[in-house]
Structure formats: C-alpha cells, structure tokens
Amino acid sequence: MFNAPRPAQRYASAPVNGLGGSFVDENPLAASIYDDPWSAAPSPSPQLIQNATSALSSVLAEANVPESYNRAFAVVDATNSGETSVNALSRVLSTSGLPAMTVDKIVNLVSSRPRVSKLEFFVALALLALAQSGKDISVEQVAARAAENNLPEPFLHLDTLQPSTSALSSPYPTYRQATLDPWSVPRFGSNGGGSDFAAPRSATTINGGAVSSLAGSGLPREWWKMQETVDVTIQGQQGFILNRYTVYEIITEHGTPVHRRYSEFAFLWDCLVRRYPFRLLPALPPKRVQPDAAFIEQRRKGLVRFLNAVMNHPVIKEDGLLATFLSEPSFENWRKHTAISLEEESASRHVDRIEEITVPSDLEDKLAFVRGKISPLIEQWQRICVLAERIIKRRESAAVRIPPSLRRTYLPAHFTFPFFSLHHSPLDDHDHDRIPGPASSTTSLAGSLSMLSSRTARSDDLELDDQADLARLTNVLRAVVEVNERCWRGDECELCDGVRQGIAQVASHTQRQSDLLEQRTNALLYSTLEALKSQRDLYIAMRDLFVRRDRLSVDNVDRLKKRVDLNSMKLEGIKAAQKDGWQDDADRIIGLIEKDQATIATLLNRRVFIRASMWHELRVVLHNKENALLSKLVQNLAHDEQAFTSSVLANWVSLGNAVEEMPYE
C-alpha cells in the first residue's frame, strides 16, 4: 500500500562543484537508492468489508455536516488520524440516553470493523438523531436527509463522557521540559542574538562539543533520558482541487506550534543532506498522488520519526535552518527573503589534532564489518515491524466469534458478508483442527465465548470471521438487560433480578476490558511500534550513509599532484631558458601551482574530516542508539505489559466477586 514510486526528476539545482558548495545532488524522495523502506510497510488492518466506507461515501454526498458532528468526533480522535474505535463510538452514542439495543443497532449499521472512519462516525450520529426524533433508523433515511442538505443533529451529553479508566499510562507521549541539553550545548546560540540561519553552525571539534574518548560513549551519562520529542498532527487539506496538499502542525518543547506542508519537509531534508552528507540522516516518507487517509497517517508517523532523529543528533540538532523550520511561523515567506547556504559541513568545521588521533587506524575494517551486517539487520527489523503491527492489530480487534445463527438480521443491505454462507473458507479447510466450522442453530453462546482467548492468535484472514469485538458485546449484553427488565410473572422476581444484575456486571466489566485493550493498543501503536520503526530507520540511514560516502568521498588529489609536478617542471624549464617575458610566464605558473596546492590541502583536510565524521557516526550515534534505545524499548514494553496484565486480572477478579452471589433458583 505504501510503496509509492519516487519521482525521478531532480529536486534541486545542479550540484555545485566548488569546495564552497555542496557535494550532494539528490532527490529527497529518493534518499534510499535501494529498496524503498516503505515498500514493505506494515499492512493495513484487515478489512472485514471491502467497500464498506466507499459504500457509505455516497450517503452523505455533498451535504453540509453540522459542526456538532465535528465536535463529537474531535473528542474521540485526539491525534487527527481520521478514525476511531468502535468502543469510542459506542461510548459517544451512549451519552444520548437511548437504549443499548438502539446503540448496538446503529454501531452494527455503520461498521463491522474494529475501527470506524470519520464518515461512518458521521452516519452513526445521523442515525442517532433519527432515533431520538422517533423516525426509522436506516441508512436510506440518512441519505434522503443528506440529499436535502438537512442532516439531523443529535442531542449528546459529551461533558458526561467518562474517560477510559485504566491503570496504564497515556498512550501518547508527554512532552518533557528538559532542563539539561543532552549534549551540553545551547540550542539557539548563546551570543544574545539570533543564530545564522543561512549557514550551518560552525564548531571547533567534530562532535559539536561532546566529550570524545575511545573509552567513553561520547555522550553525557543517561543521555537517553533527555531526548527531545516532537509531535506532528494533521490539520487537514488546503489548496484547490488540482493542487491540494496536507497541512501538518509541528509541536515541540520549544516555541509555539507551526504549520508545515510536505514539500517544506522535503526542502529541509534536501538542505540537511547537502550540508551534512556524512551524517546519519533518516529518509523522508514518500509522496503519493491522491493519498488515502491511511497513507497520510503512516506518513505523519514517518515525519515524526524523521524530526525526532535530527533533533536528537548531536551535530545536526544545532543547525540554524532546522531551528528556523521548527519555529518560523511562515517558512515559505522566510525562504523567499533569506539566502540559504548549502555549504558542506567540512568547509566550516575542522578536526583538531586530538580528534584526528582518536580515529582508529583500522577504521575501514570496522566500517566494513558494520556494512556487512546492515542489510540483514534492515531485513530483520522490517519483519519485526510488520509482525509487531499484525500482533497489535489483532489485539485491537480481539473479538467474539458470533455464530451465523446468532448474527443480527438488521445489518444494511450494502454490507455483504461472504462468510455468512455455510461454505468453508480455504483457510478453514487447512486449519480445521483448530478452527471450528460454522455453528449450527444449537450452538451455545457460551461455546462461542470460550473461543475468545484462542482466536486472538489466528491469521489476519481468519480474523475476518470475527463479527463483534468487546465493545459490541458490551452493547448486546446491555440490550439483554433492558429486554429482561420485567419478568413474565409480573411481580418482583428475585431470580430474574439477580441474574439481570449479574449480566449488567458482565457488561460493565467487558466495557472495562474494552477500554483497557483500546488504551494498550494505542500505546503500542504510538509508542512501541514507532520505536521499532525508528530502530529500522537507524539502520537504513546507516546504509544510505555508506552509499553517500562511496559516491562523495572521491576526489582528484592524485590528479592535482601530477599537475603540480608537471607545472613545477615547466617552471624550472622557463627559469633555465630565461626567454623574453619569462618572468610573466613564471608568475602565472607559480599561481597555478599555489592554487592547486591549496586545493590539495583542502581536499586532504576533507579526507580527515570524512574519516572523523564516519568514526563519530559509528561510535557515538549508531552504537549508542542501536543499543541504549533498544534496551529502553524492551524495558518499557515489559513494564507496560505487566501493568496491563495486572489491570486485566484485577478486572476479571472484580467481576468474579460481583457475580459470586448470582442466584440459581
């Protein structure tokens, strides 16, 4: 889905051949010259109904959506992802005060997937408004009102919406106000004035001031606790039909939020890779013509990883252009009035003698060793990311398999379920020992519920048979309680009342379980999975660094030395002959020799700089990040899973205590 082709045309002007310019001439959308890391991006969630959203797209048509619809959706979509969970939709609909059976009917009318799109959410609100006004609940009624541009507005008490209760931490990272810069250098300069945004920051040492020694890591103690974080949210689309673009809001720990479009991210990447060709720079996520919401969300996450990587790089984080990108309100206007230098880092930074000595003599052997295992690491980490997302998506859609005989009959006609038939799917035939066939009319609900834990480990295709998740189960149980509110005996029946209260407790605890699952899933999606992808991106950036070094480290020192020797011989011949005007010829040749010698000295210094940069990126950046951040990831994962498991256990223990006194007679 995400293997969009990268455009072949050049992004920037022709390369500058002089030493004061850039040695890089790359398209920012083609940073990785091998396989595109996005080409094997984790597959999207399995779609139970292939064209459910597209079938509903014609329902609202071009009708004006009431503002109350957007306000309600914003409550359950804090990240602007364009979708929410069935659990969140059910909780919003429950604030209307309508019976649980009506809420359950609306939820099943709009979606049979674990996630609900913005369009499906709006249709659900329209159905809710029809129910509140006493009209027939049907998609056709909503379509008719939309054709008249008169969508009904529901009455919701969103202020009473209870947040998901959980002992777990918030799934979205909080912004840590760092009191100490990880590399002990001021971010925006210390001269009291503005920094030079048009040129890369200069420094006297290769690592920007960090302690450099063979024994140490080159970073402060516990630097992983002081990482700066950035968040990127989607603000919607702007522009005309043929020139529409997505606007992103960047929120950092410093300054106010700023809005940027993707082309401005591409411009920043292009400038950084030209200024710092021998640094670890992650690739940008790709661009696509007419992207869908899922692709835009994946790209948003990729942009977050890109910014987090450059903001925490010990050298690139001090770049003036990066600081401007993160703080300038109108980056486009700033570019129009500012001359931006693409001078390579080696032209303004130099390696001191101590730093040069610390570069090991066997650096090429070390780099060759790392290079040999980069490709296998990328492949394995890509597989880890794909498998992790599948596991997370399965947890999100942890569901109860409803037998065909118990499936609701009021699902809309435009929803087609191929699994409603009694024929086995191919996967069922191959896995018949573990996957029971379609249940008969005598299949008990308890038997279906007993498969809840075992079904979460099936393949994505088999998950398509799951028709209801815990949120839907909660709605159904509450509907059962409402239907059995009165006993046929007419008078008070302690047996019915006791059983009904027990079922109500089950509904309450399944709601709690659904909340726990949703919150843990969000934490895994927005924290754990992104950390895994950052690990993969780190190795891809190292691979691309090797490619850039191979291409850009080539120079003409040997040719210049031969030319100097040749000119020196000419100079000696002119001096020996001393013909008329020989002094002018001698001065001209001396000037050529001095110019070539200066160029040779500059190129030799650049060689030293490249070696020092590669050693710094290997020892300080790659070695530290690939180990320390992975340790942090694993420890956080283990701790969060323990907290989640404890919360789940406490929930079911609470249910056991609550239903202990359910009557039998």
Side-chain angles (χ1 to χ4, degrees):
M1 175 178 180
F2 303 109
N3 56 344
R6 297 176 182 261
Q9 68 270 17
R10 293 190 182 276
Y11 174 77
S13 58
V16 180
N17 295 326
L19 293 175
S22 171
F23 285 84
V24 183
D25 183 29
E26 297 186 35
N27 185 339
L29 303 183
S32 300
I33 67 170
Y34 296 102
D35 56 306
D36 187 341
W38 285 66
S39 63
S43 56
S45 306
Q47 300 290 328
L48 179 61
I49 305 170
Q50 295 296 331
N51 297 318
T53 302
S54 60
L56 288 178
S57 61
S58 60
V59 174
L60 299 184
E62 300 297 328
N64 294 327
V65 177
E67 184 60 30
S68 59
Y69 285 34
N70 291 308
R71 287 198 302 269
F73 188 73
V75 172
V76 294
D77 184 28
T79 60
N80 242 352
S81 63
E83 64 176 11
T84 187
S85 65
V86 168
N87 178 44
L89 172 62
S90 300
R91 293 171 61 230
V92 169
L93 299 182
S94 299
T95 64
S96 64
L98 289 177
M101 183 177 296
T102 303
V103 172
D104 181 47
K105 180 177 180 179
I106 293 174
V107 170
N108 285 284
L109 274 172
V110 298
S111 178
S112 293
R113 300 178 298 116
R115 307 293 293 177
V116 179
S117 68
K118 190 174 185 179
L119 175 63
E120 293 168 339
F121 189 91
F122 287 168
V123 173
L125 293 184
L127 292 170
L128 182 68
L130 291 176
Q132 289 179 327
S133 60
K135 294 183 173 57
D136 182 35
I137 305 176
S138 68
V139 176
E140 290 76 11
Q141 286 281 352
V142 175
R145 297 292 293 270
E148 301 172 358
N149 199 17
N150 185 26
L151 288 175
E153 293 197 45
F155 296 98
L156 298 172
H157 301 282
L158 297 178
D159 53 337
T160 64
L161 189 64
Q162 295 294 327
S164 298
T165 55
S166 174
L168 303 175
S169 59
S170 173
Y172 309 109
T174 56
Y175 301 121
R176 184 186 301 109
Q177 298 296 332
T179 57
L180 175 64
D181 191 283
W183 286 275
S184 304
V185 288
R187 177 169 179 77
F188 296 102
S190 58
N191 55 1
S195 55
D196 183 7
F197 297 124
R201 192 70 55 86
S202 62
T204 57
T205 57
I206 193 68
N207 60 356
V211 178
S212 177
S213 66
L214 288 173
S217 67
L219 297 176
R221 292 180 59 85
E222 298 187 342
W223 58 269
W224 55 89
K225 296 181 179 180
M226 298 176 282
Q227 295 282 283
E228 293 191 45
T229 57
V230 63
D231 192 22
V232 177
T233 60
I234 301 172
Q235 296 298 302
Q237 293 194 338
Q238 295 183 7
F240 298 101
I241 297 178
L242 299 179
N243 189 30
R244 294 185 67 81
Y245 57 89
T246 304
V247 177
Y248 302 93
E249 184 179 62
I250 303 175
I251 306 172
T252 63
E253 299 173 358
H254 307 279
T256 58
V258 294
H259 291 170
R260 298 288 182 262
R261 56 184 298 185
Y262 178 80
S263 61
E264 293 172 329
F265 280 93
F267 175 81
L268 173 67
W269 185 93
D270 181 67
C271 292
L272 293 180
V273 80
R274 291 170 182 270
R275 291 181 174 185
Y276 307 98
F278 305 108
R279 301 293 182 185
L280 276 168
L281 270 170
L284 276 183
K287 187 179 180 67
R288 172 186 286 183
V289 178
Q290 296 181 345
D292 55 19
F295 178 84
I296 293 178
E297 173 62 14
Q298 288 285 349
R299 186 168 66 184
R300 181 195 68 81
K301 294 178 180 179
L303 295 175
V304 172
R305 297 196 303 272
F306 165 74
L307 288 179
N308 280 329
V310 296
M311 287 178 59
N312 291 288
H313 191 283
V315 175
I316 301 176
K317 81 186 192 83
E318 291 301 311
D319 185 80
L321 179 62
L322 176 61
T324 303
F325 181 84
L326 297 174
S327 60
E328 181 66 30
S330 178
F331 191 66
E332 182 178 3
N333 292 336
W334 179 86
R335 285 171 54 187
K336 293 179 180 178
H337 300 90
T338 306
I340 300 175
S341 170
L342 298 179
E343 182 182 68
E344 189 180 285
E345 181 187 13
S346 61
S348 58
R349 296 198 182 201
H350 70 273
V351 181
D352 58 25
R353 185 59 180 169
I354 297 178
E355 190 73 24
E356 183 178 355
I357 294 175
T358 60
V359 178
S361 58
D362 61 343
L363 175 63
E364 292 303 322
D365 294 336
K366 298 180 185 298
L367 293 175
F369 177 82
V370 174
R371 190 169 193 166
K373 66 177 185 178
I374 281 293
S375 294
L377 282 172
I378 293 175
E379 179 183 356
Q380 298 307 321
W381 277 102
Q382 182 62 22
R383 294 180 62 187
I384 289 173
C385 292
V386 173
L387 293 173
E389 186 162 18
R390 285 184 180 179
I391 294 171
I392 294 171
K393 290 298 185 180
R394 289 195 186 108
R395 172 177 286 184
E396 181 183 43
S397 59
V400 185
R401 189 185 184 203
I402 302 298
S405 59
L406 298 182
R407 289 180 179 136
R408 307 298 294 266
T409 60
Y410 52 72
L411 290 176
H414 58 269
F415 282 176
T416 58
F417 297 100
F419 295 99
F420 274 12
S421 66
L422 296 180
H423 299 290
H424 291 283
S425 67
L427 289 174
D428 286 334
D429 293 335
H430 291 294
D431 205 10
H432 61 275
D433 291 334
R434 208 165 48 84
I435 309 298
S440 65
S441 58
T442 59
T443 302
S444 65
L445 180 60
S448 299
L449 295 177
S450 67
M451 295 187 291
L452 173 59
S453 60
S454 63
R455 299 290 287 182
T456 58
R458 297 175 302 149
S459 67
D460 291 341
D461 291 333
L462 290 178
E463 283 186 16
L464 299 181
D465 205 16
D466 291 336
Q467 298 296 323
D469 59 9
L470 284 172
R472 291 188 174 89
L473 177 62
T474 300
N475 293 335
V476 174
L477 291 174
R478 288 173 176 169
V480 170
V481 173
E482 292 174 352
V483 172
N484 290 330
E485 185 175 2
R486 295 178 58 85
C487 178
W488 60 269
R489 297 174 58 180
D491 54 355
E492 294 185 0
C493 178
E494 294 182 359
L495 178 60
C496 291
D497 289 344
V499 172
R500 187 174 65 254
Q501 292 175 9
I503 297 299
Q505 287 291 335
V506 175
S508 174
H509 285 75
T510 54
Q511 175 70 66
R512 162 77 170 172
Q513 177 72 4
S514 181
D515 291 343
L516 290 171
L517 282 172
E518 181 182 1
Q519 191 169 28
R520 183 63 189 131
T521 298
N522 287 336
L524 290 170
L525 281 174
Y526 290 96
S527 178
T528 305
L529 182 60
E530 290 306 298
L532 292 173
K533 291 182 179 180
S534 296
Q535 194 80 7
R536 175 203 64 188
D537 294 347
L538 178 65
Y539 294 121
I540 294 175
M542 191 66 194
R543 180 195 66 186
D544 294 341
L545 175 58
F546 281 126
V547 174
R548 288 198 300 270
R549 189 192 71 144
D550 292 344
R551 188 174 72 258
L552 303 176
S553 62
V554 178
D555 54 44
N556 57 349
V557 170
D558 295 336
R559 185 174 62 86
L560 291 175
K561 287 183 177 180
K562 292 180 180 179
R563 193 165 69 181
V564 168
D565 294 339
L566 181 60
N567 287 332
S568 298
M569 294 175 59
K570 288 182 180 180
L571 180 60
E572 293 177 359
I574 291 174
K575 290 181 177 180
Q578 292 189 355
K579 296 181 180 179
D580 293 339
W582 69 273
Q583 292 180 342
D584 294 336
D585 292 338
D587 292 340
R588 180 179 60 83
I589 294 179
I590 290 174
L592 293 175
I593 293 175
E594 291 177 349
K595 181 179 179 180
D596 287 342
Q597 288 176 339
T599 303
I600 291 172
T602 303
L603 291 176
L604 291 177
N605 289 334
R606 184 172 180 267
R607 286 183 178 181
V608 174
F609 177 86
I610 293 174
R611 283 178 53 82
S613 293
M614 295 300 295
W615 174 235
H616 176 265
E617 297 304 293
L618 175 64
R619 184 179 66 88
V620 177
V621 182
L622 177 66
H623 185 67
N624 282 298
K625 284 193 172 183
E626 71 173 343
N627 291 293
L629 296 185
L630 185 57
S631 297
K632 181 180 179 182
L633 164 64
V634 173
Q635 291 174 358
N636 289 342
L637 176 63
H639 177 270
D640 292 345
E641 284 296 312
Q642 290 176 18
F644 169 73
T645 304
S646 298
S647 299
V648 171
L649 177 61
N651 181 50
W652 295 122
V653 169
S654 173
L655 175 61
N657 295 333
V659 301
E660 185 69 26
E661 302 299 328
M662 284 184 66
Y664 288 89
E665 58 182 5

